[in-house]
Amino acid sequence: MTQTVSASLVVIGDEILSGRTQDTNTSYLAKWLNECGIQLSETRTVPDIEAEIVAAVNALRARYDYVFTTGGIGPTHDDITAESISAAFGVPCQRHPEAYARLLAYYGEKDFTEARQRMTRVPEGGVLIDNSVSIAPGFQIENVFVMAGVPKVMQAMLETIRPRLKAGRKVWSETLIVYAPESRIAPGLEAVLDGIDDISIGSYPFYSEKSVGAQIVIRSHDKAAIARAMTALKGFCVACNYKTEVQASA
Amino acid sequence: MTQTVSASLVVIGDEILSGRTQDTNTSYLAKWLNECGIQLSETRTVPDIEAEIVAAVNALRARYDYVFTTGGIGPTHDDITAESISAAFGVPCQRHPEAYARLLAYYGEKDFTEARQRMTRVPEGGVLIDNSVSIAPGFQIENVFVMAGVPKVMQAMLETIRPRLKAGRKVWSETLIVYAPESRIAPGLEAVLDGIDDISIGSYPFYSEKSVGAQIVIRSHDKAAIARAMTALKGFCVACNYKTEVQASA
């Protein structure tokens, strides 16, 4: 049986913590990892401060199979991820010859400024993560994958990373929308949970002027277990006369 | 001089880590706190697992002035925040008399099911956080504020919490959009940073088919320092012939 593979994410960026930028990388990464059979188990958002980045990365890389980071690999003074990851691993942060050659060819000698050269810094032992959108690469060191914060670039880097990851057991899910207050649905959920192994159930209430209800999400590595849970849950709703609707999978 | 007040956020929820739900509470809270002069300094997203919630809350409440949590205070089996916060503080999780009386009056004796009674559990010593949207309260214990995950309910709870928070120094910001590659703007940013104290500068590149550039965000407690930085930065852009645009404040 394939084992569960776990991952964590460190979002590096003052712009998220100030509320200026709405993070969307987390949900993209979560869904993408799930397709790979990898479970996102924790995320942290830290400011552009080396000690904070080091502490988060070191806590998470010891604990999860993979750590992903987003942000802070550009050319400006607030892009300190390469130095911070080097510090986390206790290795020098140095010019990566291949990245340097590639950016030099792209910009030309005259325009290859000091700022642009910053984008070629990689911790010793790091392996580049190319992408189809931007000339500047991310990098991998051991189980830590350092990516850009710009969503399109991050998404392109993930495609490069994919073959480097071990595949785990994919988690499947189905969602039943139940048009009844969550507190009425709860006993049915308890019964389903007690009766069927290997599933997890989440309940997410919604309120609108038109309707009140909850989205019940059943998740499992085992599609048959999900089907059994859905049947039991629908039976409970029919018995209670609650209107339901199966939500199409994403 | 008013000192800086710091805060952190623990997002509790499998639905965020599975990618099913796009978190928007973080950016709302970040902006709201900034209006109060409080700085959001770290966020963590953890699954619906007691040990994970306990570890995150205990790490953050020792470190920041305030900890906010979202999610897990509803009536279903996966709503384990009240027990988890109690465990974090080493106190019993008990029925709160006022919350109990209020929900009993709302539902009536017959419909006040066990599931609904779950919503009246509060750690010993906890103080309720009412809200105008939902009958079910959140609670505060010491410097930890436990809120609902549903955005409208969380937002209403924040208004209840506001008078309980000490006000810090508000951070102001201005944004200059510069239509030039970020790596060309970097030297100007360095010069501004070197010359003006008490500011922080963030640079956020954008790429589209029509234009390439970066949004330069200057942040400070001191409006005059921001004005000096903007003048210096605009001067640099004029000298380099980069088109710029001042972004309207949010």
Side-chain angles (χ1 to χ4, degrees):
Chain A
M1 199 172 81
T2 321
Q3 66 177 34
T4 301
V5 181
S6 65
S8 56
L9 167 66
V10 182
V11 176
I12 298 165
D14 289 349
E15 72 278 21
I16 308 292
L17 290 170
S18 72
R20 190 187 158 275
T21 302
Q22 167 67 56
D23 164 72
T24 57
N25 287 334
T26 300
S27 65
Y28 186 94
L29 179 68
K31 286 181 228 168
W32 187 90
L33 286 172
N34 190 46
E35 288 299 314
C36 298
I38 297 171
Q39 189 171 344
L40 183 62
S41 300
E42 179 173 350
T43 80
R44 299 191 187 183
T45 308
V46 297
D48 302 331
I49 297 174
E50 180 172 309
E52 300 294 331
I53 300 169
V54 169
V57 167
N58 278 344
L60 297 175
R61 74 188 174 97
R63 203 165 167 212
Y64 301 105
D65 292 315
Y66 300 118
V67 178
F68 295 84
T69 78
T70 59
I73 62 169
T76 62
H77 66 283
D78 60 338
D79 291 307
I80 60 165
T81 301
E83 291 90 333
S84 303
I85 301 292
S86 302
F89 280 87
V91 300
C93 185
Q94 54 196 24
R95 178 191 289 179
H96 191 287
E98 196 184 320
Y100 190 87
R102 203 183 305 165
L103 268 74
L104 175 61
Y106 179 81
Y107 286 118
E109 204 150 329
K110 187 170 149 266
D111 285 335
F112 196 26
T113 57
E114 210 176 297
R116 285 170 174 160
Q117 290 179 29
R118 281 175 65 85
M119 295 190 283
T120 68
R121 293 160 309 153
V122 170
E124 187 180 82
V127 176
L128 299 187
I129 301 174
D130 295 334
N131 76 92
S132 55
V133 175
S134 153
I135 183 76
F139 59 84
Q140 171 190 359
I141 176 166
E142 296 185 14
N143 64 337
V144 177
F145 296 86
V146 173
M147 307 187 291
V150 176
K152 274 185 197 166
V153 181
M154 184 207 74
Q155 291 164 21
M157 286 181 176
L158 283 176
E159 296 316 309
T160 307
I161 292 167
R162 192 191 291 264
R164 303 184 195 177
L165 303 175
K166 55 185 171 186
R169 301 171 69 197
K170 183 165 156 49
V171 174
W172 306 94
S173 72
E174 283 197 36
T175 300
L176 188 71
I177 305 172
V178 183
Y179 293 94
E182 191 189 28
S183 51
R184 287 207 189 158
I185 307 164
L189 293 185
E190 291 281 353
V192 169
L193 258 189
D194 282 351
I196 300 169
D197 290 337
D198 298 326
I199 56 167
S200 74
I201 304 190
S203 170
Y204 308 106
F206 59 83
Y207 315 94
S208 74
E209 282 175 30
K210 283 186 183 164
S211 60
V212 168
Q215 298 190 306
I216 310 300
V217 181
I218 300 168
R219 310 179 85 232
S220 177
H221 294 292
D222 177 2
K223 279 188 168 181
I226 294 178
R228 286 197 299 279
M230 280 292 270
T231 303
L233 190 58
K234 283 179 189 167
F236 168 79
C237 292
V238 167
C240 296
N241 214 15
Y242 301 150
K243 203 182 130 201
T244 64
E245 198 177 314
V246 176
Q247 192 174 65
S249 299
Chain B
M1 199 171 80
T2 322
Q3 65 178 34
T4 301
V5 181
S6 64
S8 57
L9 168 66
V10 182
V11 177
I12 299 165
D14 290 350
E15 72 278 21
I16 308 292
L17 291 170
S18 72
R20 191 186 157 275
T21 302
Q22 166 68 56
D23 165 71
T24 57
N25 287 333
T26 301
S27 66
Y28 186 94
L29 179 69
K31 285 181 228 168
W32 187 90
L33 287 172
N34 190 46
E35 287 300 315
C36 299
I38 297 171
Q39 189 170 345
L40 183 63
S41 300
E42 180 173 349
T43 81
R44 299 192 187 183
T45 307
V46 297
D48 302 331
I49 297 173
E50 181 173 309
E52 301 294 332
I53 299 169
V54 169
V57 167
N58 279 342
L60 297 174
R61 74 187 174 98
R63 202 165 167 212
Y64 301 104
D65 292 314
Y66 299 119
V67 178
F68 296 84
T69 78
T70 59
I73 63 167
T76 61
H77 66 282
D78 61 336
D79 291 308
I80 59 165
T81 301
E83 291 91 333
S84 303
I85 301 293
S86 303
F89 280 87
V91 299
C93 186
Q94 56 197 23
R95 178 191 289 179
H96 191 287
E98 196 184 321
Y100 190 86
R102 201 182 306 165
L103 268 73
L104 176 61
Y106 180 81
Y107 286 118
E109 203 150 328
K110 188 171 149 267
D111 284 336
F112 197 26
T113 57
E114 209 177 297
R116 283 170 175 158
Q117 291 179 30
R118 282 175 64 86
M119 294 189 284
T120 68
R121 294 161 308 154
V122 170
E124 188 180 82
V127 176
L128 299 186
I129 302 173
D130 294 335
N131 76 92
S132 55
V133 176
S134 153
I135 183 75
F139 59 83
Q140 171 189 358
I141 175 165
E142 296 184 16
N143 64 337
V144 177
F145 297 86
V146 172
M147 307 187 292
V150 175
K152 274 185 197 167
V153 181
M154 184 206 75
Q155 291 165 22
M157 286 181 175
L158 284 175
E159 295 317 309
T160 307
I161 292 167
R162 192 191 292 263
R164 304 184 194 175
L165 303 175
K166 57 186 171 185
R169 301 171 67 196
K170 184 164 155 50
V171 174
W172 305 95
S173 73
E174 283 196 36
T175 301
L176 188 71
I177 306 171
V178 183
Y179 294 93
E182 190 188 29
S183 52
R184 286 207 191 157
I185 307 165
L189 293 184
E190 291 280 353
V192 168
L193 259 189
D194 282 352
I196 300 169
D197 289 337
D198 299 325
I199 56 167
S200 74
I201 303 190
S203 170
Y204 308 105
F206 58 83
Y207 314 95
S208 74
E209 281 176 30
K210 284 186 181 162
S211 60
V212 167
Q215 298 188 305
I216 309 301
V217 181
I218 301 168
R219 309 180 85 231
S220 178
H221 295 292
D222 178 1
K223 281 188 166 182
I226 294 178
R228 286 198 297 279
M230 281 291 271
T231 303
L233 191 57
K234 284 179 189 167
F236 167 79
C237 292
V238 168
C240 296
N241 214 14
Y242 301 150
K243 203 182 131 200
T244 64
E245 198 177 315
V246 176
Q247 191 174 64
S249 299

